[in-house]
Amino acid sequence: MSARDSILASIRANRPAGDYPLPDVPLFPPLVGDDLVAEFGERLKRMGGLVCEAGADDPLAGVRERLAGAKVLASAAPEVTGNRNLAAVARAQDVDDVDVAVVRAVFGIAETGSVLFTQDELVVNSVAYLAQHLVVLLDPADILPNVQAAYRRPEFGRAAYAVLHTGPSATADIEGVLIHGAQGVRSLTVVLLPRAKA
Amino acid sequence: MSADNLDPNIRDGVIHPEVRPPDDESERDQDGRRLRHAEGASKPVRAPAVREPQPRGAKIRGNRPVDQAEAAERFLAAPLHQAAHDERLWDLRKKRDVAAHGIPEWEELRDLASEIKTHTLSHLDRYLEQFEAAAKANGVHVHWAADGAEHNRIVLDILRRHEAKTLVKSKSMLTEECGFRHFMGAEGIEIIETDLGERIQQLDNEEPSHVVAPAVHKTRLDVAAVFAKTLGTDPDNDDAHYLAERQRETTRPYILNADAGMTGCNFAIAETGSVVTCTNEGNADLSGNVPPLQIHSIGIEKIIPKVEHLGVFIRLLSRSALGSPITQYTSHFRGPRKGTEMHYVLVDNGRSARLGMEEFWTSLKCIRCGACMNTCPVYRRSGGLSYGATYAGPIGLIIDPTFNKRKYSTLPFSSTMNGSCTNVCPVKINIHEQIFAWRKVLVEEHQIPVLKQGMMKAAGAMLSRPAAYRAAIGAADSALKVLPRFAVYNSLNTWGRKREMPDAPRQSFHAWYKENRMKGGKA
Ligand code: SF4
């Protein structure tokens, strides 16, 4: 018998007695107030992320310095022009020299301060981890109230890769000292910037 | 759960003032507020710079019963390590309480999580088949392994076919169970752990001591010594930022050059065929997204039916583990990247047999959050390595004996039966009841050495008289009669504290015990 068949047979032979119905998951009221933008920003800050509102004249004013300081800038968003074309990257490893990556989030979650990307937004998945800093564009209209609402979205059933980022890469494995930039990005900045009208 | 058993003075204060440093290196947010997300301590904890050798774990002698008490006494004999360990884990427990209190539906979520898990486990064959079919349709190669050895052989086979010589991986308790690193080392495959805590443990040739914080038993001085020896860092520099940065710099080339990447799995979704990982460092994403070959090792009990159920578990997991609303990264791997291969290895390794153990099968609900460890007074004072097993703390006590009854026969005695583990468990496993049930099984099957049987009898006699039991755990000197010696040794002053003895579970334990005693099983 194959391992598969013997494991399944063993599971069937050992099935626990009793009836264990699958519960319905009720819709819980959001933990957050009505101002989703403010709630999102506050939670994200507490998770180590940075938040900036789009400036009136220059929507990217809050991250201009960061962008200008990047020797290698990879942008997957039309709002920012970089000097590394992600569409032309052959290998996942090739984005290791990226200083700043710019990506648009599919949506944000106010309950946690998270943003979602799939392989389509990232173009090269690894850039969201190998880059030193990540700048995320998020339309305030795309902020969902809670995790439960997020998991009703279709992306999780469609995308080959979908990931929630909540702040930057972090560790506190040494005496509980919180350190950003453990293995992935050292900072994550969310710019609240509406999507360009199509 | 409620925290009404937490004395506010203790909550806001410290247990061990000797490990509170005057300064603080933790990250701040953009408004200058101190951050405490991920596994960050809410107050700085630092063992003073007196070099105290790190106490090592239990001595493993083949199949002989692990002497946890011996290792625990050595841990207690290292007061700085013990104090820092206790302080940090108790802090995680407190962070967990605060996070749980922030959600009015917390108890409802625990019920839901428990019910979703028991449902899935009682229909596991069906959900595994659904998961496999969905994964295959997504272009993932699916393998099945009856045990750890088969898991290792399957992975080796995949690596050989790709002529892969190096593999970077994120933390996985399953691969620890399988002895994966040791096996691959002997086959000439280089394995690099990418989680900082796990990497520290790998470089120090030690097992992880905690499911979430693998190196929590080490002080920064220990880490500095390990890195100086293995990574060539400055032995006199024990700055945590410096040490973490050196690890980042030295691990990055391995990540970039690895032939293969591997992750464990927190949740596997039957509906979509996806594997979900939760990390703070983003190292599962590096392991899964950088090398041209990606492998995910999955314990068969990790299955949940649908994406909507994931929401319940994600809301519970990080809050229970760390007191954070979510981990920094929650990653959903569903199909291969263009031009790369993706493999799943579904591993049984005793799980299907455990499903048939009437009193113990619900331990398969475990989502490895570590909350039961953080709250356990025995664990906090003895260190994870003293258990001499892959799983330490309360969850270890009830699953280690399923792997080897003789070797782990003494572990179920390393508990005060205070029920706190059961109280914090996000999937409502009746941990302390299972601990007690294991004691009975092990005594009945004569797995307990004569010496321990005496203690067992004393414990049994005491437990059968609720008033005496309550009196005993309230008074440290007579607690010696029912508790492992090390559990009270050196920590008498913290014993009687009410925070260790939540009322609710003690009552439910007594109710349970009464019911079971009626069945005639005299411990
Ligand atoms: S037994 Fe419960 S509390 Fe302990 S690690 Fe598992 S899920 Fe967490």
Side-chain angles (χ1 to χ4, degrees), chain B residues 117-158:
Chain B
K117 280 283 186 182
T118 47
H119 167 80
T120 315
L121 288 167
S122 61
H123 300 81
L124 194 55
D125 52 334
R126 206 180 81 202
Y127 285 116
L128 279 167
E129 284 172 333
Q130 188 190 358
F131 175 78
E132 179 192 40
K136 282 184 169 171
N138 297 336
V140 180
H141 302 265
V142 182
H143 313 261
W144 300 69
D147 55 24
E150 190 167 15
H151 164 268
N152 296 345
R153 278 198 307 276
I154 288 168
V155 176
L156 182 63
D157 195 51
I158 299 168

Side-chain angles (χ1 to χ4, degrees), chain B residues 396-448:
Chain B
L397 306 190
I398 61 174
I399 59 178
D400 292 327
T402 67
F403 292 108
N404 187 331
K405 265 189 201 160
R406 180 170 147 75
K407 188 170 177 182
Y408 304 123
S409 57
T410 57
L411 294 186
F413 296 89
S414 295
S415 166
T416 67
M417 307 298 284
N418 73 5
S420 180
C421 46
T422 301
N423 226 14
V424 297
C425 177
V427 288
K428 298 193 90 162
I429 300 171
N430 57 337
I431 307 171
H432 72 299
E433 295 175 0
Q434 292 194 29
I435 293 171
F436 190 74
W438 265 117
R439 292 181 180 184
K440 290 203 314 188
V441 168
L442 293 165
V443 167
E444 273 159 24
E445 295 189 7
H446 306 290
Q447 299 284 355
I448 299 303

Side-chain angles (χ1 to χ4, degrees), chain B residues 211 366-373 395 421 424-427 429 431:
Chain B
V211 293
C366 176
I367 57 172
R368 309 279 190 263
C369 73
C372 59
M373 308 161 81
I395 181 62
C421 46
V424 297
C425 177
V427 288
I429 300 171
I431 307 171

Side-chain angles (χ1 to χ4, degrees), chain A residues 4 10 12 15 20 42 51 96 111 151 158 160-162 164 166 168-170 173 175 180 183-184 186, chain B residues 27 30 33 41 119 122 125 132 194 197 220 245 247-248 252 280-281 285 319 328 330 332 334 352:
Chain A
R4 177 187 188 277
S10 169
R12 287 180 191 122
R15 182 193 308 283
Y20 301 96
E42 175 59 18
V51 188
D96 181 49
E111 176 186 346
Y151 279 120
R158 280 189 205 145
Y161 176 67
L164 291 166
T166 313
S169 167
D173 275 337
E175 286 194 344
H180 290 162
Q183 301 286 353
R186 297 177 190 276
Chain B
E27 303 277 358
Q30 71 189 82
R33 294 173 297 180
H119 167 80
S122 61
D125 52 334
E132 179 192 40
T194 54
R220 69 177 61 212
E245 183 65 21
Q247 193 258 167
R248 176 186 166 107
R252 184 59 69 94
N280 286 318
E281 300 187 12
D285 301 280
R319 287 181 171 101
Q328 308 295 114
T330 305
H332 314 72
R334 188 172 147 274
S352 64

Side-chain angles (χ1 to χ4, degrees), chain B residues 89-125:
Chain B
L89 294 175
W90 184 247
D91 180 65
L92 282 179
R93 157 68 206 276
K94 285 190 293 181
K95 282 174 72 186
R96 172 250 172 232
D97 288 348
V98 172
H101 287 301
I103 301 190
E105 65 267 26
W106 185 256
E107 288 306 317
E108 205 177 338
L109 285 174
R110 289 177 73 212
D111 281 328
L112 284 168
S114 173
E115 286 166 20
I116 294 166
K117 280 283 186 182
T118 47
H119 167 80
T120 315
L121 288 167
S122 61
H123 300 81
L124 194 55
D125 52 334

